[in-house]
Amino acid sequence: MVKSKVVCGFLGLFVYMVLSELLFLDYLQKMFQSPKKKNIEISRRNYMYESYTDAPLTKGQKKEVIPLCPITSPLLRGPINLTFPSELTFAKVEQKYPQVELGGRYRPHDCQARHRTAIIIPHRDRELHLKFLLYYLHPFLQRQQLDYSIYVIHQAGNYTFNKARLMNAGVREAMQEREWECLFFHDVDLIPIDDRNNYVCGSNPTHVAIAINKFGYKLPYDAYFGGVTAFTPLQYSKINGFPNNYWGWGCEDDDIGLRVYLAKMRVLRPSLEVGRYNMIRHRHDKGNTVNRLRSKYLVKAPENWKRDGLNKDMYEVISRERLPLYTNITVNVGTPAGLHPPP
Ligand code: NGS
């Protein structure tokens, strides 16, 4: 498995390097400059917002003015050690963080948060990982004094996992609820271990999980763009979101890394010292087998990225629940034959 990952890593890097070279070819440059092919932009205005405001003031009651939170939170602790207590349950995590509001929302009450961040976690059959991630992520985000919500986007049914469709669904659903400033795409098995790794967006898309224990706390290859990434809604619409055609494991992250480049943006990264994560060990899931077509699709990314992504509606919501620690949105993403393929 390790050997195949290394081969995959080199394959990804090779494809990326070849495409980078190709991008300097004249005809591709012309294509990008053509006014007809201007970015298909899903405008933020297309979303419906429901603001997350305080309860309405009663007669005679004055609105309390609280100061903005400091630029650097005084609550940060730096590196932390992880333990995975076997007796931990969702109920215990819930009891430990009573300050988290229904739907997995939180904002500081003694100061006004400077940033609004939505965490989007694609998920299926990974309850154990989810429990530990929530156990560590809630206090981590609270120490950063963020105004945040956690959305778990759950793929219904048993058909092959499609993480990319879940991400696009997560963005649309989160943005319908609130005007988030920053969207964090978060693998369920990655736990951040240094709270100086700020969950806020920058001037360009950010690759956040750059130092994972599994890869010796360094990048497995230069173009790696997986694990945890952050986009503003505008940056996400500029890359047209995730591609919809990757079923199973691998390369959907390389594809969006490439999209960032194709959309003429840069990738920001935290330092190796703070962008650190521990991955909870596991085998490949049954429903998430290695996608044998992944490199074929990746090579086609320059042709496909404007055609296929957030601009296509490739999911339907089955249920939306505000649970104590997160908002659970279960979606049908169908199969390559469509949302409702004949049996
Ligand atoms: C690369 C994959 C990426 C994947 C990364 C880490 O090789 O999609 O491994 O995977 N790229 C290709 O296959 C070209 S991980 O070990 O985290 O499951 O994200």
Side-chain angles (χ1 to χ4, degrees):
M1 181 55 79
V2 172
K3 206 171 153 197
S4 92
K5 289 285 167 51
V6 172
V7 172
C8 281
F10 277 111
L11 182 67
L13 178 60
F14 175 72
V15 171
Y16 194 84
M17 281 164 55
V18 169
L19 288 171
S20 308
E21 289 300 318
L22 276 176
L23 282 175
F24 290 104
L25 290 177
D26 259 11
Y27 78 97
L28 274 176
Q29 282 202 337
K30 274 183 202 126
M31 178 177 122
F32 293 128
Q33 280 156 10
S34 157
K36 275 192 207 146
K37 303 212 172 188
K38 272 241 161 79
N39 238 350
I40 302 158
E41 203 166 288
I42 309 287
S43 159
R44 294 197 330 160
R45 271 167 292 154
N46 290 347
Y47 295 105
M48 267 167 40
Y49 301 123
E50 172 212 309
S51 60
Y52 177 43
T53 50
D54 295 311
L57 297 178
T58 52
K59 221 176 159 192
Q61 192 187 1
K62 282 209 182 122
K63 192 168 165 54
E64 208 190 325
V65 182
I66 52 168
L68 266 182
C69 297
I71 293 175
T72 306
S73 167
L75 309 176
L76 299 183
R77 285 197 206 143
I80 55 157
N81 286 324
L82 304 183
T83 56
F84 298 99
S86 56
E87 67 288 353
L88 193 73
T89 59
F90 278 96
K92 284 187 183 160
V93 180
E94 202 182 309
Q95 276 163 22
K96 201 165 161 57
Y97 308 128
Q99 63 280 30
V100 175
E101 293 173 30
L102 209 58
R105 289 176 155 188
Y106 173 87
R107 64 189 157 146
H109 286 283
D110 51 352
C111 62
Q112 208 183 312
R114 285 179 182 266
H115 306 279
R116 293 190 303 276
T117 298
I119 314 286
I120 295 170
I121 305 171
H123 177 264
R124 187 169 66 184
D125 292 337
R126 294 281 203 93
E127 272 69 22
L128 185 73
H129 297 167
L130 183 61
K131 179 179 72 184
F132 286 119
L133 177 61
L134 295 168
Y135 178 59
Y136 283 110
L137 198 54
H138 275 296
F140 172 94
L141 298 169
Q142 288 168 21
R143 290 199 299 276
Q144 295 186 353
Q145 298 184 307
L146 298 176
D147 177 343
Y148 70 83
S149 272
I150 298 182
Y151 296 89
V152 174
I153 317 298
H154 182 93
Q155 180 171 334
N158 298 319
Y159 194 74
T160 312
F161 200 56
N162 189 323
K163 194 199 260 187
R165 287 194 185 193
L166 297 177
M167 299 298 202
N168 287 340
V171 170
R172 283 183 182 274
E173 294 306 308
M175 291 303 290
Q176 266 182 38
E177 198 174 79
R178 228 183 137 199
E179 191 174 1
W180 294 107
E181 285 170 352
C182 183
L183 307 160
F184 261 69
F185 300 95
H186 213 295
D187 277 4
V188 70
D189 53 3
L190 282 180
I191 302 186
I193 54 172
D194 193 316
D195 57 17
R196 292 170 297 170
N197 183 6
N198 255 328
Y199 273 30
V200 303
C201 280
S203 55
N204 277 275
T206 312
H207 179 220
V208 190
I210 62 158
I212 305 177
N213 58 346
K214 180 181 179 178
F215 303 124
Y217 295 112
K218 53 183 198 279
L219 285 172
Y221 51 98
D222 278 355
Y224 179 56
F225 195 67
V228 181
T229 50
F231 290 76
T232 63
L234 189 63
Q235 289 161 0
Y236 196 69
S237 71
K238 278 190 183 162
I239 66 159
N240 192 19
F242 272 86
N244 290 293
N245 54 350
Y246 286 80
W247 296 90
W249 179 89
C251 269
E252 78 296 330
D253 48 359
D254 299 305
D255 192 304
I256 60 156
L258 200 52
R259 285 173 179 230
V260 170
Y261 187 66
L262 292 163
K264 297 194 161 49
M265 291 185 285
R266 294 184 297 125
V267 169
L268 304 179
R269 283 182 168 136
S271 72
L272 279 173
E273 195 195 344
V274 305
R276 284 167 84 88
Y277 287 78
N278 280 1
M279 184 183 272
I280 310 175
R281 288 166 76 91
H282 62 93
R283 291 161 185 260
H284 269 302
D285 304 317
K286 263 199 286 171
N288 194 20
T289 46
V290 174
N291 176 4
R292 293 186 188 285
L293 299 173
R294 65 193 188 288
S295 325
K296 214 169 116 190
Y297 289 145
L298 186 58
V299 176
K300 294 233 161 146
E303 274 170 56
N304 288 343
W305 73 287
K306 290 188 182 179
R307 264 203 304 261
D308 176 50
L310 187 64
N311 59 343
K312 289 202 179 150
D313 223 353
M314 295 296 209
Y315 75 98
E316 64 189 4
V317 174
I318 293 178
S319 68
R320 237 186 234 99
E321 300 154 281
R322 285 196 174 157
L323 301 178
L325 293 168
Y326 60 93
T327 297
N328 190 40
I329 301 177
T330 302
V331 297
N332 167 30
V333 294
T335 76
L339 276 190
H340 297 281

